[in-house]
Amino acid sequence: MADDAAFLDAEADELERAAEAALRPRRLADFVGQSVVRDQLALVLDAAKARGSAPDHVLLSGPPGLGKTTLAMIIAAELEGALRLTSGPAVQHPGDLAAILSSLQEHDVLFIDEIHRLARPVEEMLYLAMEDFRVDVVVGKGPGATAIPLTLPRFTVVGATTRAGLLPAPLRDRFGFTGHLEFYSPAELEQVLSRSARLLGAELEPAAGAELAGRSRGTPRIANRLLRRVQDWAQVRGTGSLDLAATHAALSLFEVDERGLDRLDRSVLRALCERFGGGPVGLSTLAVAVGEEPETVETVAEPFLVREGLVSRTPRGRVATAAAYEHLGLARPDDGALWG
């Protein structure tokens, strides 16, 4: 699970990924939400299976925690092929990619998370593999080096990125299908939570599910994380029932408020409102004020605060909005030209 400073971070560490594995749907029909992407992907996969060929390469973009890895696993299951998982930072040399590609079989799926972080030489090798299903393996060094072409079976690359704008155009153009995942509605998250509770062997009361869904930032990963904490509280300190009382108690313990803000979010808002008069204030200064790294504030807290209309980003720095003062129960300063 994420550390206490970033309890509602949508990224997942290794322990949490292991916990998520039991809750992942195995088939596209069981995947909740993302109806547009799900229907488009179903058509692509059904057509490929009818032709008996590998589908086009798939690029999935969107914020973390919305199901990109789950969809890659579903694609492999639907094609009845093996799934090979890696990430952009883990493949830094062409030889690393060549070793992965040479192990693939017909209809296998190669999932590359954070594909925008691939090294340039690796990208260039991947272009050839995706388009012509071959790679050139260089044997030897210097003038005596020889490039040996290696033919690859028909496979499918599924790339995932949270920063689609950073993908080079030549790489982006080699994906035949691109799907952008959106944040979930509360109703969709209630379906996710109900299904997860059943898989965990627990019964989630509808009112508790609605409360959790409303505090999960539109993100299934966060919803499932909060569900597990409510289950922990119910088993250790409650009656074992995942009811509204247990939900309120657990969320209070982990400092997740009624709008889905955690300790870090409120620290950022309070620093903006109380220490800096609502801003504008630079990212580095704001990070020092809350005792966090600038990257943590920018990638964990800020996106949600901006999306909720609590913080605005301006050329001069971050600014608290009128809604931020209202949420914290603070009086708004008179000089509020930037707040609206």
Side-chain angles (χ1 to χ4, degrees):
M1 189 180 70
D3 61 32
D4 194 45
F7 182 71
L8 297 186
D9 185 359
E11 297 286 356
D13 58 21
E14 291 302 318
L15 288 176
E16 184 159 27
R17 290 188 188 281
E20 287 178 350
L23 303 179
R24 294 187 192 274
R26 300 292 190 266
R27 294 291 174 180
L28 207 53
D30 299 325
F31 188 88
V32 177
Q34 311 297 340
S35 58
V36 173
V37 172
R38 190 179 66 238
D39 291 345
Q40 292 172 343
L41 194 54
L43 178 62
V44 171
L45 295 178
D46 289 344
K49 287 188 286 186
R51 291 192 298 265
S53 62
D56 286 343
H57 303 298
V58 175
L59 177 64
L60 301 172
S61 65
L66 299 186
K68 295 185 291 293
T69 303
T70 298
L71 282 174
M73 294 179 174
I74 287 174
I75 291 171
E78 296 281 358
L79 297 175
E80 298 181 353
L83 177 69
R84 182 69 184 267
L85 293 94
T86 188
S87 67
V91 186
Q92 291 299 308
H93 304 286
D96 299 333
L97 180 62
I100 294 172
L101 294 173
S102 63
S103 68
L104 297 175
Q105 303 296 321
E106 197 83 11
H107 300 308
D108 280 358
V109 172
L110 172 59
F111 176 63
I112 306 177
D113 199 10
E114 298 182 273
I115 194 170
H116 60 276
R117 295 177 62 186
L118 283 172
R120 185 61 181 272
V122 176
E123 277 180 16
E124 294 174 353
M125 175 177 281
L126 188 60
Y127 296 160
L128 189 63
M130 293 174 69
E131 193 162 3
D132 297 334
F133 295 97
R134 71 179 180 89
V135 292
D136 293 330
V137 180
V138 178
V139 178
K141 295 182 179 180
T146 304
I148 301 176
L150 174 65
T151 301
L152 301 173
R154 293 276 169 172
F155 67 97
T156 299
V157 172
V158 178
T161 177
T162 57
R163 308 282 296 276
L166 297 183
L167 279 179
L171 179 57
R172 187 168 55 247
D173 291 345
R174 282 168 169 78
F175 289 96
F177 172 76
T178 300
H180 181 76
L181 276 60
E182 305 284 352
F183 286 105
Y184 281 57
S185 69
E188 290 172 333
L189 286 177
E190 286 183 53
Q191 294 179 54
V192 171
L193 287 163
S194 178
R195 177 183 178 276
S196 297
R198 289 196 304 271
L199 292 174
L200 292 172
E203 184 175 347
L204 180 65
E205 289 190 359
E211 187 71 18
L212 283 172
R215 303 197 194 193
S216 297
R217 303 178 182 240
T219 306
R221 175 174 292 153
I222 293 175
N224 284 328
R225 180 187 299 161
L226 295 180
L227 175 65
R228 293 195 298 272
R229 300 294 75 80
V230 172
Q231 185 184 32
D232 291 345
W233 195 96
Q235 289 177 345
V236 175
R237 300 184 182 179
T239 62
S241 176
L242 275 61
D243 54 18
L244 191 58
T247 299
H248 282 156
L251 295 179
S252 176
L253 177 65
F254 288 100
E255 300 181 282
V256 179
D257 68 22
E258 67 279 359
R259 199 161 177 172
L261 277 66
D262 65 3
R263 185 197 62 78
L264 174 61
D265 301 319
R266 289 190 299 275
S267 295
V268 170
L269 286 188
R270 287 196 176 278
L272 266 175
C273 296
E274 297 178 339
R275 299 189 189 183
F276 302 108
V281 60
L283 175 64
S284 298
T285 302
L286 185 58
V288 170
V290 298
E292 295 289 345
E293 294 294 326
E295 184 179 2
T296 301
V297 174
E298 185 176 30
T299 61
V300 178
E302 189 175 82
F304 180 68
L305 295 176
V306 171
R307 183 157 59 91
E308 287 291 293
L310 300 171
V311 171
S312 293
R313 295 179 63 170
T314 73
R316 296 174 57 199
R318 279 63 178 172
V319 176
T321 68
Y325 283 87
E326 181 180 351
H327 183 72
L328 295 176
L330 300 175
R332 174 183 170 185
D334 294 334
D335 182 14
L338 289 174
W339 296 328

